[in-house]
Amino acid sequence: MFPAKPPLWILVAVTATGPLALNLFIPSMPGLVSEFGADYATVQLTLTLYLAGVAVGQLVYGPLSDRFGRRPVLLLGLVAFVGAGVLAAVALSVEWLILGRVLQGVGGCAGMVLSRAIIRDVYDRDSAASALAYVTMAMAVAPAMGPAIGGLIDGFYGWRFGFVVVVAFGALALLGTWWRLPETNKTPIERIDVSGMLKTYGRLLRSVPFLGYSMNTALSICAFFSLLAGAPYVMIEILGHEPHVYGFYFVMVSCGYICGNFVAGLISKRLGVDRMIPLGVAVSTIGASAILGFSLAGIVSAEVIFFPFMVVAIGNGISQANGIAGAISVDPKVAGAASGLLGFMQMTIGGLGTILVGYFQDQTGHSAMAWMIFIATVLSFGAYWIAVTSSRPTGPSLHPAGAD
């Protein structure tokens, strides 16, 4: 017998699969250059194309879950995640590793997109923001420890064992979902109409509030992915730190994000989405400005990267859940599709950030990352401003008047 509402621990676990697979692997990336005899740009594709897999996958899972239900589609994604992890663990070339990472991203994004839709199925707009904040706060514990654990695993057992850990976690999430997750989509659509789906995406993209809220969250994630793209190179190749040192510094970032999510969980329902977002962005801007200032002054160290970005992460924790709640509340009847399109935008913009950091990276490895973090944070406020100053702040319905 399933519970009336989905247990939070299941939503935490399925949401954590994708971020855990992402963060556990990051400290191992520089070492793969010698492992496979590849250049760093090729190795970085294990990050960039993982994000591409996450982006494209989310466009598929949302509409599928609107038609067939959240539960079966989530189970399918978790099966794919586990299988792809096995493929990556036994990869004998960088090309096979990249393929495994792409498929792992496609499978891992199921939990990320469908947990948002599940929460929106059972909560109203502002309550959804609080629930999302608590879930992402708890979920952040796994990515917080991911780089530290990944660095230790890489140092003692090699990078392949990291994939074994991720596969085991994914298998546990799969079993928990099969055992305890109820179906929350009580009004599935009658059929998947590809033409209709594209039109729904088109209407969402023409909805100024949806676009504004979505770009706000996507740009704040771009700041985070810019750190992921630049910091390992700076820490390991430029400053000469071991992978586990990078991992331990990264814990500060995730702890900051957890604190921001905790604040959002406490006060989002009282203050509302449109007050919480600018509060979070303002905090993030302080940290982003400090990172850029140190970079322009020619100061490069672990402390001037991670302490200021912890402030950025606090702000992102405050704003992210509220931006997501605003975006997927534009039309609750297509919450799955909205969540999928939102996720696609987040990963696409985030992936673009990693490409730009890699392309413009100089010998310090710091300035391109610093500029991307700052620009993305400032633009995220512009996106929020567009959302709330549109003529219909909560967004136009995507259905004809009178439709229920």
Side-chain angles (χ1 to χ4, degrees):
M1 184 67 182
F2 293 126
K5 285 188 176 181
L8 284 180
W9 69 266
I10 291 180
L11 298 181
V12 169
V14 301
T15 306
T17 54
L20 180 63
L22 171 66
N23 288 279
L24 198 75
F25 179 72
I26 294 295
S28 299
M29 288 174 57
L32 295 178
V33 173
S34 58
E35 171 83 13
F36 291 114
D39 56 38
Y40 193 77
T42 300
V43 170
Q44 197 172 41
L45 291 176
T46 60
L47 169 62
T48 302
L49 295 183
Y50 177 90
L51 298 179
V54 172
V56 174
Q58 291 189 80
L59 288 178
V60 177
Y61 287 121
L64 284 177
S65 74
D66 286 336
R67 169 64 183 91
F68 297 106
R70 316 298 186 207
R71 175 181 158 83
V73 176
L74 179 55
L75 288 170
L76 177 65
L78 290 171
V79 169
F81 177 81
V82 171
V86 173
L87 174 62
V90 301
L92 297 179
S93 68
V94 69
E95 291 80 12
W96 279 103
L97 178 59
I98 291 171
L99 175 61
R101 288 287 285 170
V102 171
L103 296 177
Q104 192 178 49
V106 172
C109 73
M112 298 164 63
V113 63
L114 294 180
S115 63
R116 296 193 294 256
I118 288 169
I119 287 173
R120 191 59 189 86
D121 286 339
V122 297
Y123 293 101
D124 61 30
R125 184 175 185 257
D126 288 333
S127 296
S130 290
L132 281 164
Y134 283 125
V135 167
T136 53
M137 177 184 68
M139 175 274 293
V141 173
M145 301 309 297
I149 295 173
L152 290 172
I153 289 173
D154 183 78
F156 288 101
Y157 303 105
W159 61 270
R160 295 182 189 275
F161 192 73
F163 283 105
V164 175
V165 173
V166 171
V167 166
F169 183 86
L172 290 174
L174 174 61
L175 290 174
T177 300
W178 175 77
W179 176 46
R180 295 291 288 168
L181 184 73
E183 179 56 62
T184 59
N185 182 7
K186 304 301 183 182
T187 57
I189 59 178
E190 294 183 359
R191 63 188 179 91
I192 296 178
D193 178 1
V194 175
S195 175
M197 180 181 70
L198 294 176
K199 288 179 181 178
T200 296
Y201 283 147
R203 287 194 296 269
L204 282 167
L205 290 173
R206 290 193 300 271
S207 167
V208 175
F210 175 81
L211 195 59
Y213 287 125
S214 297
M215 287 301 296
N216 169 263
T217 69
L219 287 162
S220 64
I221 283 180
C222 180
F224 174 70
F225 284 150
S226 297
L227 178 79
L228 291 184
Y233 179 82
V234 176
M235 290 288 288
I236 297 170
E237 298 297 322
I238 302 299
L239 299 178
H241 293 298
E242 294 295 323
H244 70 272
V245 176
Y246 165 82
F248 284 124
Y249 270 104
F250 192 87
V251 171
M252 295 166 47
V253 174
S254 291
C255 287
Y257 188 69
I258 291 170
C259 291
N261 271 261
F262 182 73
V263 172
L266 285 177
I267 63 177
S268 288
K269 189 171 183 179
R270 183 166 71 251
L271 295 185
V273 164
D274 293 329
R275 293 181 180 178
M276 292 296 297
I277 294 175
L279 172 62
V281 175
V283 173
S284 295
T285 303
I286 295 172
S289 299
I291 293 173
L292 181 59
F294 283 122
S295 177
L296 293 175
I299 303 172
V300 182
S301 70
E303 291 76 16
V304 303
I305 294 172
F306 287 98
F307 278 105
F309 200 88
M310 181 174 66
V311 178
V312 176
I314 292 171
N316 284 356
I318 293 172
S319 65
Q320 269 290 310
N322 287 278
I324 292 169
I328 64 178
S329 295
V330 167
D331 191 332
K333 291 185 177 180
V334 289
S339 181
L341 182 57
L342 166 66
F344 174 81
M345 294 170 65
Q346 288 176 331
M347 295 302 107
T348 300
I349 299 299
L352 179 62
T354 69
I355 293 172
L356 291 174
V357 169
Y359 182 80
F360 290 107
Q361 188 168 261
D362 57 17
Q363 290 300 311
T364 67
H366 190 225
S367 61
M369 177 181 70
W371 274 109
M372 277 302 304
I373 291 170
F374 179 78
I375 291 171
T377 301
V378 171
L379 290 179
S380 71
F381 180 80
Y384 157 77
W385 183 85
I386 290 172
V388 297
T389 56
S390 60
S391 59
R392 301 180 65 180
T394 58
S397 173
L398 302 182
H399 295 276
D404 191 355

